[in-house]
Amino acid sequence: MRYISTRGHAAPQAFCDILLGGLAPDGGLYLPESYPQVSRAELDAWRQLSYADLAYEILSKFITDIPVADLKALVAKTYTAEVYCHTRNGGDAAQITPLTRLEDGLYTQELSNGPTLAFKDMAMQLLGNLFEYVLDKRNESINILGATSGDTGSAAEYAMRGKHNVKVFMLSPDGKMSAFQRAQMYSLQDANIFNIAVTGLFDDAQDIVKAVSNDAVFKAKYKIGAVNSINWARVAAQIVYYFQGYFLATKSNDEQVAFAVPSGNFGNICAGHIARQMGLPIARLVLATNENDVLDEFFRTGVYRPRKAVETSITSSPSMDISKASNFERFIFDLVGRDPAVVRELWARVDKGEAFDLSATVHWQKMPKFGFASGKSIHADRIKTIRFALGRYNVMLDTHTADGLKVALEHRLPNIPMIVLETAQPAKFEETIREALGTEPVRPADLAGIEKLPQRVVVMAPDVAAIKQFIVERV
Ligand SMILES: *Cc1c(COP(=O)(O)O)cnc(C)c1O
């Protein structure tokens, strides 16, 4: 299997060659040159498999440059009940991503049972093991630099802690994350993890990462890398739980399901789109946004109009706060019949800060066959849905999953199970849960009192030169 760029001007690459990089050299995103197809016989056989065995079967269609035994071992050590131990609502940890039944034909799928209680662990844990494996083989090292306002940074740190040849430098806005999120990251004592609290906002931290990454000489000399959501291996890992959710919600492979996905950068739902392209019987993919409704607008109107994000203090589902959806280009590539010239033209506009409108094009006429629906949920909807789910189903939802359920209920299909992807646990968003329910969310027992653990973090001004120096002294 080889990987091509959505912009068509990069040489095809093998999986391990794109694993450690970000964008393709032409500015596009990598995708498989074609989507592997899953036969009915395979689907029938896969229904009986454990999560790790299913993950191996799916990933081996995308990863053909790691020996079978090695890939099997990497996947087996990633998807264990010990790593994904934070089940709730009576879920079976051995299933890794179990379903919670809300009512007949309506489920949540727990993707947030990993170490940081958010769905990013599903892919990031695999990425950690893949990075270590490939770097060991090649006798190389990498220094991951990132900026985080919460979920991504902690998932990256828990995936990379203690890994050979990997160091992580994670910038976060000083004092802007919740006490729980700070404790999650800053209490890590691993020698290869460096937390830098920048005196400023998330955007200041993000700007520093951009400035350092734009310095090509520094980047090459100090082997600076990233683990952001455009990383192909992250998308590939996420395909697996769509298959697992399908098998758990149905009795036979003649049935169809729908998924509702709380979306930000379009990474999670992009994996659902690919699962569907591979032949998984998904009748509908429901995209849910929060107040940052760039994607909802596109799926309703054909207009993609990136714009400044609404502040997190207003939205309360912070991991869906985006201005541009970084993985969206992958879907558009498929929608326009995989024509890189069209993608280049559309993104020339996006990169200038302009919108594009597909509504009057032949491409838009093909939308129905991709099976999407969309909707948005604002703070008041979120609060109402959290109350509703607890009252009606006795299930406590986090703020992102509440956005998903709100929109899912608007787009159910008769006689087709709807699976709402649970992207985080309520324990991560105590403040909003308190606002909605007047009570504290349940926190997994092993995370009780983590705010009291010693913390390992340095506070620095948002000064590019000083942060470069900090990195140089530690790599
Ligand atoms: C990252 C994240 C999302 C958004 O996922 P995308 O892949 O960016 O669409 C939704 N919910 C939570 C809790 C997240 O951490």
Side-chain angles (χ1 to χ4, degrees):
M1 170 66 72
R2 295 178 78 76
Y3 290 86
I4 55 172
S5 165
T6 50
R7 306 221 182 150
H9 285 161
Q13 300 275 344
F15 178 85
C16 291
D17 294 322
I18 63 166
L19 174 67
L20 303 170
L23 292 174
D26 62 358
L29 276 67
Y30 284 113
L31 270 180
E33 54 196 354
S34 65
Y35 294 128
Q37 296 300 300
V38 177
S39 68
R40 176 60 194 249
E42 279 175 309
L43 262 193
D44 290 345
W46 290 1
R47 188 170 271 279
Q48 344 299 336
L49 297 181
S50 69
Y51 192 95
D53 289 344
L54 177 64
Y56 168 75
E57 292 297 331
I58 294 169
L59 291 169
S60 64
K61 291 180 179 286
F62 293 100
I63 308 175
T64 52
D65 54 339
I66 294 179
V68 167
D70 293 355
L71 184 59
K72 264 199 176 137
L74 286 167
V75 169
K77 111 170 159 190
T78 304
Y79 296 110
T80 69
E82 289 70 43
V83 175
Y84 296 93
C85 63
H86 297 117
T87 51
R88 304 189 306 134
N89 310 312
D92 177 0
Q95 293 179 340
I96 309 298
T97 59
L99 299 187
T100 298
R101 180 186 165 281
L102 302 181
E103 62 184 38
D104 280 348
L106 183 65
Y107 305 87
T108 58
Q109 184 175 6
E110 297 178 23
L111 306 183
S112 46
N113 294 334
T116 75
L117 310 184
F119 96 99
K120 298 203 169 54
D121 290 328
M122 291 304 306
M124 207 71 94
Q125 288 288 319
L126 180 69
L127 208 64
N129 289 325
L130 284 170
F131 268 39
E132 184 174 57
Y133 173 84
V134 171
L135 290 166
D136 270 352
K137 282 256 172 261
R138 298 185 169 187
N139 208 3
E140 288 174 12
S141 62
I142 195 168
N143 298 303
I144 294 166
L145 175 64
T148 188
S149 52
D151 288 348
T152 309
S154 55
E157 291 188 354
Y158 280 77
M160 301 297 167
R161 59 189 297 203
K163 296 280 183 260
H164 329 145
N165 303 332
V166 181
K167 291 193 169 90
V168 178
F169 296 87
M170 192 57 65
L171 312 186
S172 50
D174 186 29
K176 295 289 185 295
M177 297 190 303
S178 71
F180 177 74
Q181 284 179 315
R182 289 200 301 271
Q184 266 193 316
M185 290 177 57
Y186 303 164
S187 67
L188 288 179
Q189 301 296 328
D190 305 77
N192 69 329
I193 304 292
F194 300 94
N195 283 300
I196 305 171
V198 174
T199 51
L201 302 175
F202 170 69
D203 285 341
D204 299 309
Q206 180 90 313
D207 287 345
I208 292 169
V209 172
K210 281 187 197 148
V212 175
S213 303
N214 287 339
D215 180 344
V217 175
F218 185 88
K219 194 176 167 196
K221 182 164 181 200
Y222 296 103
K223 304 187 173 67
I224 303 296
V227 289
N228 42 29
S229 79
I230 57 151
N231 184 291
W232 164 253
R234 284 181 61 182
V235 178
Q238 291 166 186
I239 295 169
V240 179
Y241 52 71
Y242 285 88
F243 281 83
Q244 169 86 338
Y246 172 77
F247 292 135
L248 293 175
T250 58
K251 292 206 165 60
S252 102
N253 296 328
D254 297 322
E255 295 175 52
Q256 291 191 303
V257 297
F259 287 95
V261 189
S263 292
N265 275 318
F266 204 80
N268 195 352
I269 200 165
C270 187
H273 158 68
I274 295 170
R276 194 171 189 275
Q277 295 297 308
M278 293 170 71
L280 187 67
I282 300 177
R284 182 174 274 180
L285 287 166
V286 179
L287 178 140
T289 69
N290 68 7
E291 287 85 342
N292 292 295
D293 58 353
V294 184
L295 290 170
D296 175 41
E297 178 176 326
F298 174 79
F299 282 95
R300 281 185 300 100
T301 66
V303 177
Y304 182 58
R305 193 167 57 86
R307 49 193 175 262
K308 208 170 162 330
V310 176
E311 301 240 345
T312 296
S313 57
I314 297 165
T315 65
S316 63
S317 44
S319 297
M320 293 157 73
D321 291 342
I322 50 115
S323 52
K324 286 181 199 170
S326 54
N327 273 291
F328 187 51
E329 186 171 333
R330 289 192 161 112
F331 173 71
I332 293 295
F333 182 66
D334 287 343
L335 179 66
V336 302
R338 299 197 135 213
D339 182 345
V342 178
V343 173
R344 284 199 298 275
E345 190 207 310
L346 296 174
W347 259 266
R349 280 185 248 165
V350 170
D351 291 341
K352 276 190 284 182
E354 293 170 12
F356 64 71
D357 179 359
L358 297 184
S359 64
T361 66
V362 292
H363 311 306
W364 191 247
Q365 289 160 14
K366 288 184 281 172
M367 263 311 283
K369 86 173 169 54
F370 287 95
F372 278 82
S374 79
K376 105 185 217 190
S377 164
I378 63 169
H379 185 77
D381 299 319
R382 203 169 293 131
I383 297 291
K384 214 168 104 186
T385 307
I386 292 169
R387 288 184 189 147
F388 166 80
L390 190 66
R392 173 75 71 93
Y393 306 128
N394 200 25
V395 170
M396 195 187 286
L397 298 182
D398 102 286
T399 55
H400 307 75
T401 312
D403 289 336
L405 177 61
K406 188 264 180 186
V407 178
L409 293 173
E410 297 164 351
H411 292 287
R412 285 175 84 176
L413 292 162
N415 302 318
I416 292 188
M418 170 68 79
I419 303 169
V420 181
L421 298 186
E422 182 184 64
T423 54
Q425 295 205 6
K428 291 199 92 165
F429 303 97
E430 287 175 347
E431 221 177 286
T432 313
I433 298 300
R434 238 179 273 126
E435 179 188 343
L437 305 174
T439 53
E440 295 295 318
V442 275
R443 189 186 282 192
D446 61 326
L447 299 175
I450 60 166
E451 290 91 338
K452 295 192 196 80
L453 296 174
Q455 299 194 350
R456 190 165 163 271
V457 56
V458 295
V459 179
M460 295 182 74
D463 173 346
V464 176
I467 286 169
K468 278 180 169 168
Q469 189 56 33
F470 181 89
I471 295 171
V472 168
E473 285 164 10
R474 283 162 186 83
V475 301

